[in-house]
Amino acid sequence: MESTISVTKPLLSIQDQIQKLQDNGITFDLISIKEASDYLRYNNYFFKLTAFRKNYVKNKTGKNIGKYDKLDFAYLKDLAIIDMELRYLLIHISLDVEHFTKLYLLNLAEDHQEDGYQIISDYFDSLNDEQRSRILKEMERSEYSIYSGDIYHRYNRSLPIWVFLELVSFGRLVDFYRYCGNRFNDDKMIKQYYLLKTCKDLRNATAHSSCLINDLNLGSSKHQTSFLVTRELGKIESVSKITRDKKMSNARLQQIVTLLYMHKQLVTSEGVRNKAKDKINGFITRMNKNKNYYLSNALIRTSFEFLEKVIDMWF
């Protein structure tokens, strides 16, 4: 059987990767070529590391035209580490949001005197055949799980809300949140549903170890920031409306801030809040460790400053 894979770029050796970086104007003033080679061999890989170059511009004139301006390998390394720390932080924040979304829904069912079974039956009835089939297949995956197989077998014929919430994915949980918002005529829940969809997208990106801050350029957001988030950001006196609008036009910053907002809204445990605050403060310390690297890069510097101001106010 003939292969249909078309190779357009060669697999570069570490030496070739270093040469390609140099050809593109990336310097090795703060870190030696030997150290950079070791880093690419033992710590990170070329494709991921160079993704952060998008935050830098290329020279448009002069002898270095077409090459990156003021970009040292050390900057890429530092951004990659900050990005890793941010992923670890946000997956923790995402898990908090998921947990307290479930808690909110359970409390909501109790407040409306639900028996726990009818609401799930009604939710399934609200789905079309394709949607219902998809969610059943999704839950069937729990059958052989060492973590959830026992509750699946115990309750699969008659499913209460507290079991349903343990078996479904975050995406399905978010859709059920939408359903409950409509069921109880809760306008705030319906608005938060869209914010939770954003949280889900970011959670998935962090879980797949995708780069988060490799493109901080303005105008990448596909939709306007929710009024709920914008209103809360408007309370931060140190962030002007112009800065807020610019930074929230970046899809990545928009998602990160939205997740932080939902954590602030949903988490009711003081202990969990304090734990998140400790982790966030640790991240801020690492983010600012080499802040002098970015003094001449307004895009990165102002994005970091914006995040820090939001965090200082909300946490």
Side-chain angles (χ1 to χ4, degrees):
M1 182 176 180
E2 294 185 3
S3 173
T4 58
I5 298 176
S6 176
V7 179
T8 58
K9 291 185 178 182
L11 178 64
L12 300 177
S13 66
I14 299 295
Q15 183 178 355
D16 290 337
Q17 292 171 21
I18 295 294
Q19 185 61 55
K20 187 173 180 62
L21 292 170
Q22 291 178 312
D23 291 344
N24 280 283
I26 296 171
T27 58
F28 294 85
D29 296 333
L30 299 176
I31 188 171
S32 70
I33 289 179
K34 173 64 168 62
E35 291 172 319
S37 298
D38 288 344
Y39 183 77
L40 288 169
R41 172 73 68 181
Y42 301 112
N43 296 84
N44 208 341
Y45 47 93
F46 181 81
F47 188 76
K48 190 155 197 156
L49 186 76
T50 56
F52 299 96
R53 75 192 188 283
K54 294 180 182 179
N55 292 316
Y56 288 83
V57 297
K58 291 183 177 181
N59 291 293
K60 296 181 179 179
T61 59
K63 64 178 182 179
N64 291 320
I65 186 171
K67 296 184 177 182
Y68 286 101
D69 182 40
K70 300 176 182 177
L71 175 53
D72 195 87
F73 186 91
Y75 304 168
L76 295 175
K77 176 184 175 182
D78 191 57
L79 287 170
I81 294 171
I82 293 171
D83 194 80
M84 177 191 70
E85 295 289 349
L86 181 59
R87 289 196 305 273
Y88 292 166
L89 168 65
L90 294 182
I91 197 67
H92 176 93
I93 297 294
S94 298
L95 290 171
D96 285 350
V97 167
E98 183 174 5
H99 173 79
F100 282 92
T101 298
K102 294 176 180 179
L103 180 61
Y104 180 84
L105 290 170
L106 288 168
N107 288 333
L108 187 70
E110 180 182 352
D111 291 343
H112 285 82
Q113 299 181 330
E114 295 278 354
D115 66 5
Y117 291 83
Q118 190 61 48
I119 189 173
I120 300 301
S121 178
D122 291 345
Y123 172 63
F124 273 89
D125 288 342
S126 74
L127 304 174
N128 60 40
D129 290 342
E130 182 181 352
Q131 292 170 328
R132 196 176 301 112
S133 175
R134 191 181 306 126
I135 188 174
L136 288 173
K137 288 181 180 178
E138 184 179 297
M139 290 194 299
E140 283 173 3
R141 299 191 192 114
S142 300
E143 182 177 3
Y144 302 105
S145 169
I146 61 173
Y147 303 105
S148 55
D150 57 339
I151 60 173
Y152 172 81
H153 287 290
R154 189 181 308 167
Y155 291 98
N156 71 325
R157 293 183 181 276
S158 183
L159 201 63
I161 184 173
W162 55 89
V163 173
F164 173 82
L165 296 179
E166 291 301 306
L167 295 179
V168 295
S169 66
F170 192 16
R172 184 59 60 185
L173 171 66
V174 171
D175 187 64
F176 182 65
Y177 194 90
R178 171 201 57 78
Y179 170 79
C180 290
N182 288 322
R183 183 183 181 92
F184 302 120
N185 296 313
D186 191 321
D187 183 61
K188 184 177 180 180
M189 284 186 70
I190 294 171
K191 291 177 180 177
Q192 287 183 336
Y193 155 69
Y194 294 100
L195 303 184
L196 285 170
K197 285 185 67 176
T198 297
C199 294
K200 180 205 70 172
D201 291 343
L202 182 56
R203 197 283 297 266
N204 290 346
T206 59
H208 286 89
S209 196
S210 299
C211 293
L212 301 182
I213 58 169
N214 60 309
D215 186 356
L216 296 172
N217 289 286
L218 308 182
S220 59
S221 175
K222 295 181 180 179
H223 54 80
Q224 290 186 333
T225 303
S226 165
F227 170 72
L228 297 176
V229 178
T230 300
R231 182 177 60 186
E232 202 67 22
L233 287 173
K235 298 176 183 178
I236 306 176
E237 295 180 357
S238 59
V239 177
S240 69
K241 183 180 184 303
I242 293 176
T243 297
R244 181 182 72 224
D245 291 346
K246 283 183 176 180
K247 293 308 175 186
M248 294 300 282
S249 76
N250 176 268
R252 295 153 191 268
L253 291 177
Q254 186 186 58
Q255 289 194 349
I256 292 169
V257 171
T258 298
L259 177 63
L260 295 175
Y261 169 82
M262 287 305 292
H263 191 279
K264 183 174 183 288
Q265 293 298 308
L266 289 172
V267 175
T268 52
S269 165
E270 184 178 353
V272 172
R273 285 176 176 170
N274 288 337
K275 183 68 173 180
K277 182 177 181 179
D278 289 343
K279 287 184 174 293
I280 287 171
N281 287 338
F283 166 74
I284 293 297
T285 298
R286 178 58 188 87
M287 183 179 75
N288 289 330
K289 179 181 178 180
N290 297 309
K291 62 189 306 182
N292 60 300
Y293 284 2
Y294 312 111
L295 294 177
S296 63
N297 187 311
L299 180 66
I300 297 174
R301 175 176 52 79
T302 58
S303 295
F304 285 1
E305 289 172 352
F306 173 69
L307 275 179
E308 186 170 4
K309 288 176 180 178
V310 171
I311 287 168
D312 283 345
M313 180 59 68
W314 290 358
F315 293 87

